[in-house]
Amino acid sequence: MALIMSDVDRFEASRSRLEAIAYRLLGSASEAEDAVQETFLRWQAADVDHIEVPEAWLTKVLTNLCLNQLTSARARRETYVGQWLPEPLLAGDPMLGPADTAEQRESVSYAVLALLERLSPNERAVYVLREAFDYPHREIADILDITEAASQQIFHRAKKHVADGRARSEIDEAAARRIVHEFLAAATSGRTEPLVRLLTQDAVSIGDGGGKVPARAKAFEGALAVAKFMRGLFKPSKAKQALVGGSPEVYATTANGDPAIVAVVDGRVVGVMCLEITAEGIAAFRNQVNPDKLERATRRWAAADHGEPLLSAF
C-alpha cells in the first residue's frame, strides 16, 4: 500500500526516537539505521489508517527487529576478531537521543553500552525502553508480548547486572576535562609514574580493532600494566604513522556523553578513546580503532568545528 505524504511525515516525526532506541539496543549506528529503514518498509506495507497509536506500533516493530538482530549478532560476535566494543557517537550526534535525566545520559554511555552486551536480548530491551525512554511496564509488556509483572522483574534484574558491573561515580564535567588534559600530558611524558597516579588500581584498557587494526585481544588490567601500555601508545614511531596514514592530531571531546580523546588524520577519525572516570581516578579506557565503526564519527567530525588539537601524536 502506497503511503501518502502525511503518513511519511508521521514516520519521520518518530525517526530520531526510533534511531536512538535502536542504537542503544544494538550498539551500532549502521545497524540501527538499517533497523529503522526496515521499520519504515513495514510501515509502508501496513494499513496505517487502522493503526490506532502509530508511535506504539512503530516501537514494537522496531524493538522486535532489533531483538532478532541481537540474537544473530551474538553468534557473529563469537567469531569476532579480538574484543568487541560499541560504535562510539561523538558529541551532538542526534542518535544519542534524550539526555534530560541522569538515567537517560547514563543509558547511552560507552561503559553502559558495553555492559549491556552481558544481558539477554529481552533484558536489554526492557532496560533501554524503561531507563532511557521511560516507557511504562504496561507498554513494554505489550511490545515484548510478556506480562507486566515479567517486565518489572526483568528490569530489576537487568538494572542490577548493569549496576554491579560499573566502577563509575559521579564527577563534574570540569574535573573530567581536567583529568583528560592531565592524562595526555602524562601519556606523552615518556614516564610511567605520572600515569599510574591518574589511574585506579584496578584500571583496565580494552581495544577493538575488528581484525583490521592491531588491538590486543585481551584487556590490559591493573594500573601499572595500563600505564605502560599508554606510555607506549603515545610514543612516536614511523610504524604507527604508517599504520594510520600519518601523524594523528589529538583532541579532547566527549563520546556517548563520556570524556573522550579523538585521533584524526587528514579529517578522518582513526581512533576514539572513551575514558571512564571516577572520584578515585581513571577506571577504564575503551578504545575504538576499527575503521568500520568510525565512519559515522568521521562524518560528524567533518560537520563541526573542534578548534586546535591538543597535540600531534606518533
Side-chain angles (χ1 to χ4, degrees):
M1 181 179 295
L3 293 181
I4 61 175
M5 186 56 67
S6 60
D7 294 328
V8 175
D9 291 342
R10 287 160 76 188
F11 180 86
E12 290 301 326
S14 295
R15 181 181 289 275
S16 60
R17 178 181 57 84
L18 295 174
E19 287 188 343
I21 292 173
Y23 172 70
R24 283 168 167 82
L25 288 176
L26 300 173
S28 165
S30 58
E31 290 180 4
E33 289 173 337
D34 290 344
V36 172
Q37 183 59 27
E38 179 61 30
T39 302
F40 175 73
L41 295 177
R42 303 282 180 95
W43 173 254
Q44 190 176 35
D47 185 357
V48 298
D49 290 336
H50 290 83
I51 296 175
E52 294 184 5
V53 186
E55 179 180 304
W57 187 93
L58 291 169
T59 303
K60 182 167 186 172
V61 169
L62 174 82
T63 300
N64 282 284
L65 286 170
C66 289
L67 289 177
N68 291 337
Q69 180 77 0
L70 280 172
T71 301
S72 61
R74 288 195 164 205
R76 291 199 310 274
R77 286 169 194 168
E78 288 179 1
T79 60
Y80 191 82
V81 179
Q83 299 275 348
W84 186 94
L85 288 174
E87 181 177 346
L89 297 182
L90 299 183
D93 194 312
M95 199 176 278
L96 288 169
D100 298 326
T101 66
E103 291 78 12
Q104 289 173 337
R105 291 189 294 273
E106 183 164 274
S107 72
V108 79
S109 75
Y110 213 54
V112 165
L113 286 180
L115 286 170
L116 291 184
E117 288 295 305
R118 304 179 184 180
L119 305 183
S120 71
N122 262 20
E123 286 175 336
R124 188 163 182 163
V126 172
Y127 180 87
V128 166
L129 292 171
R130 180 63 183 163
E131 191 79 346
F133 295 89
D134 202 28
Y135 276 80
H137 285 290
R138 174 180 49 80
E139 292 185 24
I140 296 173
D142 182 61
I143 289 170
L144 298 177
D145 293 323
I146 58 178
T147 66
E148 187 171 345
S151 176
Q152 293 170 339
Q153 291 170 356
I154 291 170
F155 175 69
H156 290 305
R157 186 166 65 242
K159 192 167 185 177
K160 184 178 186 304
H161 286 327
V162 171
D164 287 347
R166 298 229 55 191
R168 182 171 179 263
S169 58
E170 292 299 323
I171 188 167
D172 65 75
E173 184 176 346
R177 185 167 288 274
R178 175 180 54 77
I179 292 174
V180 170
H181 283 256
E182 289 179 359
F183 163 73
L184 285 173
T188 55
S189 70
R191 298 167 54 226
T192 303
E193 295 79 8
L195 279 166
V196 171
R197 288 196 293 270
L198 292 174
L199 308 178
T200 62
Q201 286 303 305
D202 58 352
V204 297
S205 177
I206 304 167
D208 178 352
K212 300 188 175 183
V213 173
R216 181 181 165 96
K218 185 179 179 182
F220 290 93
E221 298 181 353
L224 184 58
V226 172
K228 288 180 177 179
F229 167 67
M230 290 296 167
R231 184 191 64 190
L233 180 65
F234 283 87
K235 185 177 181 180
S237 79
K238 292 189 180 298
K240 292 174 188 172
Q241 290 181 6
L243 180 66
V244 298
S247 181
E249 294 180 330
V250 176
Y251 298 81
T253 182
T254 62
N256 294 75
D258 294 327
I261 295 167
V262 176
V264 182
V265 175
D266 296 330
R268 175 173 52 91
V269 175
V270 297
V272 176
M273 178 185 289
C274 293
L275 282 64
E276 186 174 358
I277 298 177
T278 72
E280 290 73 41
I282 304 173
F285 299 88
R286 294 179 176 87
N287 313 311
Q288 184 56 260
V289 292
N290 183 344
D292 293 343
K293 297 183 181 182
L294 296 172
E295 292 178 357
R296 185 180 179 96
T298 294
R299 294 196 300 271
R300 292 292 308 174
W301 191 262
D305 179 22
H306 304 283
E308 294 298 316
L310 295 180
L311 60 93
S312 292
F314 307 165

